[in-house]
Amino acid sequence: MKKIYLDHAATTSVAPEVLKAMTPYFDQSFGNPSEPHQWGQQAKMAVERAREKVALFLGAKPSEILFTSGATEAINLAHKGLIEGQKVPHIITSSIEHKAVLETCRHLEKLGWATVTYLPVDKNGLVKIDDVEKTIRPETVLVSIMFVNNEMGVIQPIAEIGKLIKKINSKIFFHTDATQAVQYLNCDVNSLGVDLLSLSGHKFYAPKGVGVLYFKKGASLIRQQDGGEQEGGLRAGTENVPYIVGLGKAIELVEKSKVSHAKYVEKLKNKLITGVLQIPGVKLVGDAQKNAPHIATFLVKGVEGEAMMLLLSDEGIAVSSGSACTSGLLEPSHVLLAMGYKPQEAHGSLRFSLGKDNTEEEIDDVIKVLPGIIEKLRKMAPKL
Amino acid sequence: MKISQFYSKKVLEHVRHPQNMGEIKNPDGVATVGNPVCGDIMRLYLKIEKKNGKEYLKDVKFQTLGCGAAIATSSMITTMVKGKPLSEAEKISNQAIADALGGLPVSKIHCSLLAAEALEKAIANYRQKTKK
């Protein structure tokens, strides 16, 4: 059976070049980077080379790059590590952040270690710059706004927010979760005006289980994982050498192909949108022309998302949904609700996220198969 | 009650090929449970036949808007009670439905509750009608 993978915002495969670059660090150069012998030093050099590649990609210094187990850990460290020990600091974030940010903020609130403002978004999912300005207080220490939303692809005006924050109070730190942006957008930290940036390898053809926190020199972080002195004393634990090498290789590949891949993927996405919108009772979430090139999310009336997902999977097509049944929490997507959609609309959400290896024929196949699945499920539903 | 991490083969079979799906015109009992906000809505139709003074479920059909587990539990309950005496059908618990499906993930147990509730209410609807 044909297999059409359209869930790249969930995860990507490991690129062959990446796997090849990683392999020697499992069984050949397997030393512990903390050891001064040649085995250790070989591994250490590999980690430092990867750090340089990430630094180059972000326009940062290698000393400002810290490897973690993924974006979630990077985000936890950025938020908790920054506010620890401060007197009831104030954090501003958005209501459509990834759970890694939202749950971290809620945890800090619960502990009484911070007060948090969750900014609303407009119908396209955008944070209003005015809201950021109005919400900043003297005790605000951190603003955390994601670059690209994972559920529907909206791109936040990070550079503008960065400028605004620094104009009001240059001491406020600005963090962005760039997990969904790395693959296709410019992530230069200077032009974005961010002090901290989190990312995850497995969204751009590196393996799962490795990520990065960029933190600007001068941002004093308190480590959240105690132990040895790895990663400049900020993240204890023996470095995951092969995965770090893999992330370095993957980010190097992204650097080379970013612009052409973004164009290609966007073309496919537009074809998909045109096709899917032919189906009655289907609408697109947000403003696709202004969104990230790889994500298109639809709301299908009178059908539940997970059921569509399962039937598409039977046809060899992988997509995702923000319905309650896929969250494990019995609540529909917090992102769609924050954008003003009703729960009954959000239950019918379907996210397609494309990648460089998808083809026009695959999109044609999806456009052919989807209407039948929607019709089948609508027929099954009771008339209300 | 069986708990499984993923959907069992049985669940997926019922999602692919739902049994007794559709509507019964002039049903003897009908009930709609769930709501659009929570995401799952089930409607169960019953046709009841009396044989030797005993009531049987001659036909059972469902209509469901919901996730895989909602579809599978609705489909499964119809196959479990169709042709059975009413007194037997009444005793079917949500555990029995989940078990017949080879277990459900923990987060989907509420779907089996919904199916059991739909049957209970459809039978209640029948009893109310026949009382008059």
Side-chain angles (χ1 to χ4, degrees), chain B residues 34-71:
Chain B
N35 65 70
V37 177
C38 92
D40 293 327
I41 311 166
M42 275 179 208
R43 185 174 293 160
L44 209 61
Y45 301 87
L46 310 177
K47 199 82 192 168
I48 307 223
E49 182 185 48
K50 273 188 192 161
K51 265 195 282 185
N52 307 326
K54 211 172 173 186
E55 294 157 305
Y56 288 86
L57 291 166
K58 190 185 170 203
D59 199 9
V60 184
K61 280 199 165 22
F62 81 91
Q63 289 178 319
T64 290
L65 163 61
C67 65
I71 294 169

Side-chain angles (χ1 to χ4, degrees), chain A residues 137-348:
Chain A
R137 309 182 206 152
E139 63 272 26
T140 304
V141 297
L142 173 65
V143 177
S144 184
I145 307 283
M146 77 198 309
F147 197 168
V148 170
N149 181 268
N150 53 310
E151 289 191 30
M152 43 71 70
V154 67
I155 303 169
Q156 301 295 349
I158 297 300
E160 280 176 71
I161 297 171
K163 262 188 216 129
L164 170 86
I165 296 170
K166 297 299 163 189
K167 203 176 75 191
I168 297 174
N169 179 355
S170 62
K171 282 183 186 154
I172 297 174
F173 290 101
F174 185 26
H175 168 264
T176 191
D177 168 8
T179 303
Q180 293 293 343
V182 171
Q183 180 77 243
Y184 301 112
L185 303 181
N186 180 7
C187 290
D188 181 274
V189 291
N190 304 299
S191 50
L192 290 175
V194 295
D195 307 295
L196 300 118
L197 178 148
S198 299
L199 63 89
S200 187
H202 73 105
K203 310 291 188 187
F204 55 92
Y205 305 94
K208 296 154 192 67
V210 62
V212 165
L213 175 63
Y214 154 78
F215 65 106
K216 198 180 198 158
K217 211 173 168 208
S220 65
L221 286 176
I222 293 173
R223 75 178 181 195
Q224 300 298 306
Q225 178 158 300
D226 293 322
E229 290 303 309
Q230 291 91 351
E231 294 298 286
L234 283 170
R235 200 267 184 180
T238 300
E239 298 87 341
N240 190 355
V241 180
Y243 283 55
I244 290 170
V245 169
L247 190 147
K249 183 69 192 173
I251 215 161
E252 189 180 65
L253 294 173
V254 170
E255 179 86 67
K256 280 184 201 154
S257 57
K258 188 171 225 170
V259 177
S260 64
H261 283 169
K263 252 189 211 154
Y264 174 69
V265 165
E266 182 142 47
K267 198 178 90 187
L268 290 185
K269 183 184 78 168
N270 289 335
K271 184 184 169 79
L272 176 79
I273 291 173
T274 309
V276 173
L277 288 180
Q278 299 295 313
I279 306 169
V282 175
K283 60 183 169 189
L284 187 71
V285 174
D287 184 348
Q289 297 315 313
K290 290 183 188 157
N291 283 2
H294 62 307
I295 300 177
T297 298
F298 301 92
L299 298 181
V300 183
K301 204 177 168 189
V303 188
E304 197 276 338
E306 192 210 64
M308 284 189 277
M309 220 171 107
L310 291 173
L311 294 183
L312 280 167
S313 173
D314 271 355
E315 299 286 338
I317 300 167
V319 300
S320 166
S321 169
S323 83
C325 279
T326 52
S327 72
L329 289 171
L330 306 182
E331 275 165 25
S333 151
H334 67 282
V335 176
L336 296 173
L337 296 184
M339 291 172 72
Y341 291 107
K342 297 190 184 83
Q344 51 268 49
E345 294 179 288
H347 289 305

Side-chain angles (χ1 to χ4, degrees), chain A residues 83-90 112-115 139 141:
Chain A
I83 70 111
E84 190 177 322
Q86 302 210 32
K87 270 186 200 148
V88 197
H90 176 234
W113 290 1
T115 56
E139 63 272 26
V141 297

Side-chain angles (χ1 to χ4, degrees), chain A residues 47-87:
Chain A
V47 169
E48 294 316 312
R49 271 198 303 270
R51 202 185 306 281
E52 280 164 20
K53 286 175 187 172
V54 175
L56 187 72
F57 182 87
L58 295 174
K61 298 182 191 74
S63 60
E64 297 172 322
I65 303 299
L66 194 156
F67 289 109
T68 66
S69 63
T72 295
E73 188 196 332
I75 288 165
N76 269 267
L77 176 56
H79 292 66
K80 294 173 181 167
L82 201 67
I83 70 111
E84 190 177 322
Q86 302 210 32
K87 270 186 200 148

Side-chain angles (χ1 to χ4, degrees), chain A residues 117-128:
Chain A
T117 304
Y118 302 90
L119 296 177
V121 293
D122 68 13
K123 64 176 194 331
N124 287 328
L126 280 168
V127 167
K128 290 188 214 80

Side-chain angles (χ1 to χ4, degrees), chain B residues 49-115:
Chain B
E49 182 185 48
K50 273 188 192 161
K51 265 195 282 185
N52 307 326
K54 211 172 173 186
E55 294 157 305
Y56 288 86
L57 291 166
K58 190 185 170 203
D59 199 9
V60 184
K61 280 199 165 22
F62 81 91
Q63 289 178 319
T64 290
L65 163 61
C67 65
I71 294 169
T73 51
S74 332
S75 169
M76 179 50 95
I77 200 169
T78 63
T79 66
M80 289 169 83
V81 301
K82 197 174 164 178
K84 294 269 160 63
L86 195 57
S87 54
E88 217 175 286
E90 270 177 315
K91 288 181 197 141
I92 288 186
S93 65
N94 76 300
Q95 276 98 328
I97 304 164
D99 288 348
L101 285 168
L104 282 171
V106 181
S107 63
K108 303 286 184 174
I109 293 296
H110 76 284
C111 292
S112 65
L113 288 167
L114 212 57

